[in-house]
Amino acid sequence: MFEGLTVVTEAVKSQSEFVPKLKEQIRKVLVGQEKLIDGLLIGLLANGHVLLEGVPGLAKTLSVKALAAAIQADFQRIQFTPDLLPADLVGTLIYNPQSGQFSTKRGPVFANIILADEINRAPAKVQSALLEAMEEKQVTIGEHTYALPEPFTVLATQNPIEQQGTYPLPEAQLDRFMLKLKIGYPTKEEELQIMERMAQTSRMMTIQPVITPPEILAVRKVIDQIYLDAKIRDYIVNLVMATRNPQGFQLDLADYIEYGASPRATISLAIAAKAYAFMQGRAYVIPNDIKTIGPDVFRHRIMITYEAEANEISAEHIIQTIFAGVPVP
């Protein structure tokens, strides 16, 4: 085992050299927001999709565009609106009256990185069309099924403060996202940097490509080999079980949790922790990796009860209590 771990360690060290360079390119247009940058990279490296939630003006869209430029990937930004149709997303069949035949016109979903801007503004049919593509990595147009390009990552944004004209994502659809990142306001020092950098009529920020999509696919193979000890696997499962049966872990949360995390949470947490360990240059996962990325994996997968809402107990508080209460190996 140790010989195998040595080989993986060398592979991780050589393959992860691009991570600091990639972050440096994104920081050209993004001030602070280290957790956002890490979350975007984890989603990309772990073959998962990421939901970004934050008030307007926090550079959610800008960060995604910078990431796409830095990995030299095909990028499509789709502005979700109430009048959007599934065909506007995945494509449709076009009839040619001269030949009497239909030809396929592929939609913007055929790209490596999709920015679904304000995903909660589109009706359920459009959301379902995108989420089906996310899950199956393919799209059916007419009688033909087309595979989406690899890597394929959806980075969706939503605004938590506006409720008019929005269609909130159901819990079953939210579960398709590996991570949900909550974007907060910058500090005073960061705000000053933002003003100095962005308060001008012309913004010329050149992002240099650092890595290509084929190289990302090669990196994913290395991430799959990262060592996950039996005690770490047991810790991940215990955390998920604590969201479903908190009494079993002496946590007084049963009255506040309607539904706990699904098996997708177990899978997502394991893969995301491997990706995070890779970004740190390690060939093995440690408990701190789980604690760091775990809240982003659980945040959108725990449904709270009316009693929790009445007592002003949020899902964030429940997650913190679970991570504090479940024994660490």
Side-chain angles (χ1 to χ4, degrees), residues 230-244:
K231 291 181 180 178
I232 298 292
R233 295 199 297 269
D234 196 54
Y235 181 46
I236 291 171
V237 172
N238 282 343
L239 288 168
V240 174
M241 289 297 172
T243 69
R244 305 174 194 167

Side-chain angles (χ1 to χ4, degrees), residues 94-103:
I94 305 294
Y95 179 69
N96 188 332
Q98 294 179 338
S99 64
Q101 295 181 334
F102 287 91
S103 61

Side-chain angles (χ1 to χ4, degrees), residues 7-137:
V7 173
V8 178
T9 299
E10 291 301 318
V12 168
K13 284 182 179 178
S14 62
Q15 293 275 19
S16 63
E17 289 178 353
F18 76 92
V19 173
K21 299 175 185 176
L22 188 58
K23 288 185 176 183
E24 182 184 346
Q25 293 300 316
I26 297 173
R27 289 192 192 106
K28 285 184 178 181
V29 297
L30 202 64
V31 176
Q33 303 288 15
E34 290 300 316
K35 196 163 180 62
L36 169 59
I37 296 173
D38 284 347
L40 291 176
L41 291 184
I42 288 168
L44 179 69
L45 298 176
N47 194 18
H49 309 291
V50 182
L51 180 62
L52 312 177
E53 183 177 278
V55 299
L58 295 182
K60 299 185 295 295
T61 302
L62 186 63
S63 61
V64 175
K65 291 175 72 174
L67 174 66
I71 66 169
Q72 212 170 5
D74 290 333
F75 169 73
Q76 287 286 351
R77 177 182 181 273
I78 306 170
Q79 185 65 51
F80 277 53
T81 57
D83 61 346
L84 201 68
L85 298 173
D88 298 327
L89 192 71
V90 301
T92 187
L93 294 174
I94 305 294
Y95 179 69
N96 188 332
Q98 294 179 338
S99 64
Q101 295 181 334
F102 287 91
S103 61
T104 301
K105 182 184 179 185
R106 299 190 181 191
V109 77
F110 286 89
N112 297 119
I113 294 183
I114 302 296
L115 171 57
D117 218 354
E118 296 191 280
I119 188 173
N120 56 332
R121 288 202 174 279
K125 272 190 176 181
V126 179
Q127 293 175 0
S128 297
L130 176 64
L131 292 164
E132 181 184 2
M134 290 164 54
E135 185 72 13
E136 306 297 333
K137 302 293 177 71

Side-chain angles (χ1 to χ4, degrees), residues 48-255:
H49 309 291
V50 182
L51 180 62
L52 312 177
E53 183 177 278
V55 299
L58 295 182
K60 299 185 295 295
T61 302
L62 186 63
S63 61
V64 175
K65 291 175 72 174
L67 174 66
I71 66 169
Q72 212 170 5
D74 290 333
F75 169 73
Q76 287 286 351
R77 177 182 181 273
I78 306 170
Q79 185 65 51
F80 277 53
T81 57
D83 61 346
L84 201 68
L85 298 173
D88 298 327
L89 192 71
V90 301
T92 187
L93 294 174
I94 305 294
Y95 179 69
N96 188 332
Q98 294 179 338
S99 64
Q101 295 181 334
F102 287 91
S103 61
T104 301
K105 182 184 179 185
R106 299 190 181 191
V109 77
F110 286 89
N112 297 119
I113 294 183
I114 302 296
L115 171 57
D117 218 354
E118 296 191 280
I119 188 173
N120 56 332
R121 288 202 174 279
K125 272 190 176 181
V126 179
Q127 293 175 0
S128 297
L130 176 64
L131 292 164
E132 181 184 2
M134 290 164 54
E135 185 72 13
E136 306 297 333
K137 302 293 177 71
Q138 64 184 27
V139 167
T140 300
I141 304 174
E143 297 179 353
H144 299 282
T145 299
Y146 302 91
L148 293 169
E150 285 287 349
F152 176 73
T153 301
V154 174
L155 306 172
T157 70
Q158 67 177 11
N159 181 349
I161 62 174
E162 289 186 53
Q163 301 302 324
Q164 276 191 325
T166 61
Y167 303 82
L169 289 169
E171 284 72 18
Q173 293 183 345
L174 280 172
D175 199 38
R176 305 280 179 90
F177 288 94
M178 175 176 279
L179 308 175
K180 180 181 178 182
L181 307 177
K182 296 196 80 170
I183 317 303
Y185 284 114
T187 63
K188 181 179 178 180
E189 291 73 20
E190 290 170 348
E191 195 90 25
L192 285 167
Q193 290 182 50
I194 292 169
M195 183 172 63
E196 290 171 5
R197 188 182 298 183
M198 297 295 189
Q200 49 189 327
T201 55
S202 60
R203 302 173 189 169
M204 296 297 291
M205 293 286 181
T206 305
I207 304 292
Q208 300 295 330
V210 173
I211 193 169
T212 63
E215 290 171 329
I216 291 288
L217 297 179
V219 165
R220 287 179 179 176
K221 292 179 181 178
V222 176
I223 289 172
D224 285 338
Q225 299 176 53
I226 286 179
Y227 179 63
L228 201 64
D229 190 79
K231 291 181 180 178
I232 298 292
R233 295 199 297 269
D234 196 54
Y235 181 46
I236 291 171
V237 172
N238 282 343
L239 288 168
V240 174
M241 289 297 172
T243 69
R244 305 174 194 167
N245 180 30
Q247 306 99 304
F249 297 86
Q250 288 75 51
L251 299 173
D252 190 20
L253 297 172
D255 295 334

